[in-house]
Amino acid sequence: MKSILIGLLALVSWSAVAQRVRLETDAGSIVLDLYADKAPGTVANFLRYVDEKRYDGSRFYRVVRLDNQVGSPVKIEVIQGGLQDDTTRQLPPIPQETTQKTGLKHVNGTLSLARGKPDSGSSEFFICINDQPELDFGGKRNPDGQGFAAFGRVVEGMDVVRRIQQGKTGSDAASAQLLQTPIVIRSVRRVQ
């Protein structure tokens, strides 16, 4: 009886820490665990988009591979999704929770908030393919050294992520990372 009680307490503690969501895409399902205990502001922002169904009909539109980063001295591998240019569904930017603050790292399957300058992340997110330490605080991918706000990870569907990353992209410098046929994110919902 005691071991059952301990197991139940551990499950309740885990569910208070990690929130699970499912992305249904044209390429298949991706299930994510979000780490509200480590990146509460970033998770709350993402879940607001989820709960208000702002991501429904959005897309994975950018894929970054080793072969399509001409001129970039720091190579990464990610797929990026979100609202892209649809400013009507975007919420205001949020303060950045750096990996220095959260202790999270950009490893294979990490979910992170895309941004330009610090504190500009809003609706766009990306998923890492393989370990990407240059996206952590102090990494060289972003000139300001602040890195990006990791806030979750893929727990199911990494095969879907890799398949999306291999999609056909444009042929000139401006479109080399843009999918010719973006992958529609049909829905994003919390998993109970």
Side-chain angles (χ1 to χ4, degrees):
M1 183 68 161
K2 184 177 178 182
S3 63
I4 293 172
L5 184 58
I6 290 171
L8 286 173
L9 286 173
L11 182 60
V12 169
S13 297
W14 178 85
S15 64
V17 172
Q19 173 64 54
R20 188 163 282 191
V21 298
R22 178 184 304 275
L23 284 75
E24 293 294 344
T25 80
D26 283 349
S29 297
I30 302 169
V31 179
L32 307 163
D33 273 354
L34 310 179
Y35 299 123
D37 61 327
K38 296 181 180 182
T42 310
V43 168
N45 176 72
F46 188 80
L47 287 175
R48 183 171 173 199
Y49 280 93
V50 170
D51 294 341
E52 294 177 7
K53 300 181 178 160
R54 291 174 184 261
Y55 284 133
D56 291 9
S58 63
R59 308 176 307 171
F60 281 107
Y61 56 88
R62 179 175 175 234
V63 297
V64 184
R65 299 184 297 256
L66 297 177
D67 69 345
N68 68 359
Q69 300 173 73
V70 177
S72 179
V74 180
K75 309 279 192 222
I76 61 168
E77 295 180 279
V78 302
I79 65 170
Q80 185 171 333
L83 303 179
Q84 198 172 7
D85 298 324
D86 184 355
T87 58
T88 63
R89 292 191 288 170
Q90 287 180 343
L91 298 169
I94 62 168
Q96 184 176 342
E97 294 174 307
T98 67
T99 58
Q100 181 185 43
K101 294 176 189 173
T102 65
L104 297 170
K105 299 292 179 196
H106 287 90
V107 296
N108 188 46
T110 293
L111 173 67
S112 193
L113 191 64
R115 66 156 182 107
K117 62 184 180 180
D119 300 331
S120 68
S122 178
S123 63
E124 307 311 282
F125 59 90
F126 62 87
I127 298 172
C128 294
I129 291 99
N130 300 317
D131 294 354
Q132 303 300 323
E134 295 297 348
L135 300 175
D136 293 335
F137 182 87
K140 294 178 177 67
R141 179 63 180 200
N142 206 308
D144 61 33
Q146 297 296 302
F148 296 84
F151 65 99
R153 71 179 178 100
V154 174
V155 293
E156 294 175 32
M158 203 57 197
D159 58 325
V160 175
V161 171
R162 290 182 185 281
R163 197 165 45 250
I164 293 170
Q165 190 204 25
Q166 295 310 309
K168 190 170 183 179
T169 57
S171 57
D172 61 7
S175 65
Q177 296 177 2
L178 299 178
L179 285 169
Q180 287 186 355
T181 305
I183 302 299
V184 175
I185 300 170
R186 291 186 221 142
S187 66
V188 185
R189 298 288 182 271
R190 293 184 193 230
V191 176
Q192 302 301 325

